[in-house]
């Protein structure tokens, strides 16, 4: 029998404790001296009580096995204490036999319970004897001592509340009992796999052995659910690792890997890409990627850097193929055949520009001119360029000389709007209104008109500045040599739409068109062409040397100037002599 005493282990069980001994659960077990089965009373042992004397030797019970399974207590006396000192009682160490091994029963001695429950008084509490087990199913000769098996620690509980016993290690003599030696089993449902209803003993009538079997099955269920929980954690971990790996790979590719690129010269489908003025490699690459020409911007930038002429790609419209490698796209853009850019030379009239746009867009002749005349005010003209009388073309002077993308699929109004916006931007870089007042002109509109005349008559930069002075000198009120008439052949050619060098006096004098500067004083109603930046600069900064006349002595390339009429006549003779007249 196991002895319980005060020590480092568990607290002793007092007879007053309702769970002490086997007093029955809910009237299921017969009380002492009653017959548990059918009124047949089992013999039981009598308790022997001895008066409490902490200095006297105490008798102890000794159980002698009997053939009929009964025990007869035999009193004997413990060793006498030394004289003059009380005998100190030490609780015996509990012994836990192997619950699965078959061992013969050994005589046991009931250990003396030292220490009171509440008062601290020493009292002898021998075991009340061996009682019959109501769960023994009535087998003769078998009687179980609930305190003689491992399942008695902790003391037995009703069958519906029993659990598998935990057998702690027995410390050796002289060692202290470690109450925290055994870790508590994890009880969280996530790890145990036990739900709200699982793990409960549904049958309180189940025997202890059956309970162990049931607990074994529950343990298997716990293991199964724990395995599933671990599998879920493993899957989550694997997904997380995969996601991190993918992000890392993308980061590596973006920083150190080769840029995505197509292979080959592309498909048969062609597209037109417009490259604006001043666009760099990244901007061009983005336009090509959006059009489906190249696969990535980085690939194009790299190919442009690898090509020695890659940085020379100019603004304009390019006809390219979809799905091209970046290297092939750069090479094709450097080939003039791919460019759909319309280059407007300085001094060209609007009529020539309209014809070129119609050809490149593949539209009928006159389409662009009709759009220009009908939608002139909505194409971006500044306010000072609107509403002038007798103007032959509302956009003349505003189709600024430059390179423009013009290709099939584009609309005429979009092309014209780009040209007008470019002219407005260039003209807006200077205060033309203030400059006009300095030059005695009525406003920016007349400044552009003068620049167009200078552009049409001059050939070089020196020509432009001298030609600008000729214009201003002839417009002066005190001009008695030409009587404020410009007398420019270029203005007359504009109204006729021709470019003749020789014009008969009879024809000139008979034509009443407002652009005929031989007949009318002052400037033409509007520009006669599209001046460039040099002609505009010359119109704003003319020479001040007294130039009044000029003659293209070679007919085309060389222009000579004169200040007086006699000088002019000599120049005319020179021109006529060279021309054979």
């Amino acid at each position: 029998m196991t002895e319980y005493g005060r020590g480092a282990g568990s607290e002793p069980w007092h007879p007053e404790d309702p769970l002490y001994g086997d007093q029955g659960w809910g009237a299921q077990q017969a009380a002492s001296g009653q017959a548990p089965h059918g009124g047949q009373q089992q013999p039981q042992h009598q308790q022997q009580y001895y008066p409490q004397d902490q200095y006297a030797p105490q008798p102890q019970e000794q159980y002698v096995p009997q053939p009929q399974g009964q025990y007869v207590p035999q009193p004997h006396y413990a060793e006498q204490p030394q004289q003059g000192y009380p005998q100190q009682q030490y609780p015996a160490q509990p012994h836990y036999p192997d619950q699965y091994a078959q061992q013969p029963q050994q005589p046991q001695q009931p250990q003396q319970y030292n220490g009171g429950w509440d008062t601290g008084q020493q009292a002898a509490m021998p075991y009340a004897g061996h009682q019959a087990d109501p769960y023994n199913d009535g087998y003769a000769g078998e009687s179980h001592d609930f305190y003689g098996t491992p399942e008695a620690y902790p003391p037995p509980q009703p069958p519906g509340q029993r659990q598998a016993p935990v057998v702690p290690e027995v410390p050796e003599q002289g060692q202290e009992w470690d109450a925290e030696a055994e870790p508590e089993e994890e009880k969280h449902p996530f790890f145990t796999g036990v739900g709200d209803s699982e793990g409960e003993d549904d049958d309180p009538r189940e025997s202890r052995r059956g309970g162990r079997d049931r607990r074994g099955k529950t343990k298997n269920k716990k293991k199964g659910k724990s395995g599933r929980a671990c599998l879920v954690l493993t899957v989550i971990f694997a997904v997380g690792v995969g996601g991190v790996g993918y992000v890392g790979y993308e980061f590596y590719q973006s920083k150190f890997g080769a840029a995505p690129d197509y292979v080959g010269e592309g498909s048969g489908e062609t597209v037109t890409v417009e490259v604006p003025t001043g666009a760099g490699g990244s901007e061009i690459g983005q336009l090509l990627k959006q059009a489906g020409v190249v696969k990535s911007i980085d690939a194009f930038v790299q190919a442009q850097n690898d090509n020695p002429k890659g940085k020379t790609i100019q603004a304009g419209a390019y006809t390219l193929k979809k799905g091209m490698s970046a290297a092939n796209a750069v090479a094709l853009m450097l080939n003039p055949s791919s460019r759909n850019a319309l280059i407007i030379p300085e001094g060209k009239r609007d009529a020539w520009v309209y014809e070129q746009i119609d050809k490149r867009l593949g539209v009928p002749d006159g389409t662009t001119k009709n759009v220009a005349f009908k939608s002139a005010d909505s194409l971006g003209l500044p306010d000072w360029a609107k509403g002038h009388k007798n103007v032959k073309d509302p956009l003349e002077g505003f189709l600024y000389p430059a390179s423009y993308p013009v290709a099939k699929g584009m609309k005429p109004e979009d092309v014209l709007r780009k040209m007008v916006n470019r002219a407005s931007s260039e003209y807006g870089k200077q205060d033309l209104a203030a400059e006009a007042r300095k030059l005695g002109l009525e406003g920016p509109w007349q400044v552009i008109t003068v620049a167009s005349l200078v552009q049409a008559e001059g050939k070089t930069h020196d020509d432009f500045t001298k030609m600008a002075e000729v214009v201003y000198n002839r417009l002066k009120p005190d001009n008695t040599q030409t009587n404020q008439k410009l007398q420019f052949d270029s203005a007359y050619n504009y109204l006729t739409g021709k470019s003749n060098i020789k014009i008969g006096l009879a024809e000139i004098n008979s034509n009443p068109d407002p652009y005929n500067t031989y007949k009318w004083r002052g400037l033409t109603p509007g520009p006669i062409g599209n001046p460039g930046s040099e002609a505009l600069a010359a119109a704003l900064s003319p020479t001040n040397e007294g130039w009044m006349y000029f003659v293209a002595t070679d007919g085309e390339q060389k222009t000579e100037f004169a200040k007086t009429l006699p000088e002019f006549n000599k120049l005319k003779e020179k021109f006529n002599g060279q021309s054979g007249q």
Side-chain angles (χ1 to χ4, degrees):
M1 178 176 178
T2 304
E3 180 184 15
Y4 294 87
R6 289 194 176 273
S10 304
E11 291 293 331
W13 291 89
H14 194 271
E16 296 177 1
D17 189 343
L19 298 180
Y20 180 78
D22 205 348
Q23 300 179 6
W25 300 279
Q28 295 180 14
Q29 182 176 352
S32 177
Q34 296 179 358
H37 299 286
Q40 183 178 356
Q41 184 173 359
Q42 300 290 336
Q44 60 181 347
H45 306 291
Q46 299 295 329
Q47 290 185 355
Q48 295 183 6
Y49 295 92
Y50 299 93
Q52 178 67 25
D53 187 356
Q54 59 182 345
Y55 301 104
Q58 300 297 330
Q60 298 181 354
E61 287 184 357
Q62 182 169 0
Y63 292 91
V64 179
Q66 300 298 328
Q68 291 81 9
Q70 299 179 357
Y71 295 89
V72 178
Q74 300 295 332
H76 70 280
Y77 294 92
E79 183 180 355
Q80 295 294 335
Q82 296 180 2
Q83 185 176 2
Y85 294 92
Q87 175 68 29
Q88 185 176 1
Q89 300 293 331
Y90 291 91
Q93 299 298 333
H95 176 68
Y96 299 90
D98 188 358
Q99 58 180 326
Y100 301 104
Q102 299 294 331
Q103 298 180 359
Q105 288 186 341
Q106 299 293 334
Q108 297 179 346
Q109 295 181 359
Q111 301 299 323
Q112 183 174 351
Y113 182 81
N114 297 327
W117 186 262
D118 295 320
T119 62
Q121 299 295 328
Q122 300 292 332
M125 300 177 184
Y127 184 60
H130 195 75
Q131 297 180 354
D133 187 357
Y135 298 92
N136 194 15
D137 295 336
Y139 290 101
E142 294 186 7
S143 178
H144 297 286
D145 182 7
F146 291 100
Y147 283 85
T149 64
E151 295 177 317
Y153 180 80
Q157 296 179 355
Q161 302 179 5
R162 293 174 183 169
Q163 298 181 358
V166 179
V167 182
E169 295 182 0
V170 179
E172 297 180 0
Q173 187 172 3
Q175 295 182 351
E176 294 183 358
W177 182 271
D178 188 1
E180 299 178 358
E182 290 295 326
E184 212 174 26
E185 184 182 359
E186 178 59 60
K187 295 187 172 99
H188 196 282
F190 182 82
F191 296 97
T192 60
V194 180
D196 296 337
S197 61
E198 293 182 4
E200 296 181 358
D201 196 341
D202 297 333
D203 190 0
R205 296 170 296 177
E206 189 178 40
S207 65
R208 258 175 278 184
R209 183 175 299 173
R212 283 197 299 272
D213 295 339
R214 180 176 180 82
R215 282 192 295 272
K217 296 177 180 180
T218 304
K219 185 176 181 181
N220 292 335
K221 292 181 179 180
K222 293 180 180 179
K223 289 182 178 179
K225 291 197 174 183
S226 298
R228 289 194 294 271
C230 292
L231 178 60
V232 172
L233 290 176
T234 302
V235 172
I236 294 175
F237 178 76
V239 171
V241 171
V244 172
Y246 176 78
V247 172
Y249 173 78
E250 290 293 323
F251 176 79
Y252 176 83
Q253 286 294 106
S254 63
K255 295 295 182 182
F256 309 105
D261 195 5
Y262 292 123
V263 178
E265 298 181 356
S267 62
E269 184 179 359
T270 60
V271 293
T272 300
V273 179
E274 179 184 346
V275 177
T277 302
S282 297
E283 186 176 355
I284 298 174
Q286 184 176 8
L287 294 172
L288 296 181
K289 181 182 177 182
Q290 291 176 351
V293 177
V294 298
K295 193 171 185 179
S296 67
I297 299 174
D298 293 339
F300 177 81
V301 173
Q302 185 63 43
Q304 187 184 32
N305 293 332
D306 293 342
N307 193 308
K309 297 182 179 180
K311 298 295 185 179
T312 64
I313 296 177
Q314 300 179 2
Y318 294 85
T319 300
L320 305 171
K321 296 180 180 180
K322 286 189 174 183
M324 300 181 68
S325 68
N328 285 327
V330 172
L332 185 57
M333 295 181 75
L334 293 174
N335 188 341
S337 63
S338 68
R339 296 189 62 183
N340 291 316
L342 173 59
I343 299 175
I344 301 177
E346 296 176 343
K348 285 294 184 180
R349 302 168 187 166
D350 282 0
W352 180 87
V353 177
Y354 296 149
E355 292 175 0
Q356 297 300 315
I357 294 175
D358 288 342
K359 291 178 181 180
R360 292 177 178 271
L361 296 183
V363 296
D365 295 342
T367 301
T368 303
K369 181 179 179 179
N370 291 334
V371 172
F373 278 69
K374 292 180 180 178
S375 306
D377 291 343
S378 63
L379 296 177
L381 287 173
D383 292 338
W384 51 262
K386 300 177 182 178
H388 296 282
K389 296 180 180 179
N390 301 322
V391 173
K392 292 187 176 297
D393 191 323
L395 296 184
E396 196 72 69
F398 281 86
L399 303 183
Y400 193 81
S403 176
Y404 298 95
V406 182
K408 291 182 178 181
M410 300 177 68
K411 296 180 179 180
E413 54 267 30
D414 294 336
V415 176
L416 294 174
R417 186 176 288 107
K418 290 180 182 296
M419 297 176 179
V420 173
N421 289 337
R422 176 69 181 274
S424 299
S425 176
E426 295 294 332
Y427 297 157
K429 292 179 180 179
Q430 303 186 52
D431 189 353
L432 296 183
E435 296 294 335
R437 287 192 295 270
K438 293 179 182 179
L439 298 171
L441 301 176
E442 295 180 359
W445 179 256
Q446 286 192 345
V447 173
I448 303 302
T449 302
V450 171
S452 68
L453 293 170
V454 169
Q455 182 77 64
E457 295 288 353
K459 302 295 185 295
T460 64
H461 177 73
D462 290 339
D463 291 349
F464 291 157
T465 55
K466 292 178 180 179
M467 192 67 67
E469 184 182 358
V470 170
V471 172
Y472 293 128
N473 286 336
R474 290 188 180 186
L475 292 176
K476 290 180 179 179
D478 59 352
N479 173 20
T480 60
Q481 297 185 45
T482 62
N483 296 321
Q484 298 181 345
K485 294 180 180 179
L486 293 181
Q487 296 179 348
F488 278 16
D489 291 345
S490 58
Y492 189 84
N493 286 333
Y494 177 78
L495 68 89
T496 60
K498 299 178 181 180
S499 297
N500 296 328
I501 297 175
K502 298 179 179 181
I503 303 173
L505 292 177
E507 180 184 354
I508 291 174
N509 292 330
S510 63
N511 192 331
D513 192 281
Y515 280 83
N516 185 357
T517 57
Y518 284 94
K519 186 176 181 63
W520 305 102
R521 296 178 179 181
L523 296 172
T524 56
I528 62 172
N530 292 286
S533 58
E534 283 191 294
L536 178 61
L540 296 176
S541 300
T543 61
N544 189 20
E545 300 174 359
W547 302 115
M548 182 66 72
Y549 300 96
F550 63 94
V551 175
T553 56
D554 63 350
E556 293 187 9
Q557 299 299 324
K558 187 176 180 180
T559 303
E560 296 186 52
F561 293 86
K563 297 178 181 178
T564 63
L565 183 59
E567 293 178 355
F568 171 69
N569 290 331
K570 290 181 179 180
L571 291 175
K572 284 181 66 176
E573 291 176 1
K574 184 180 180 179
F575 170 74
N576 292 332
Q578 291 177 354
S579 62
Q581 294 182 357

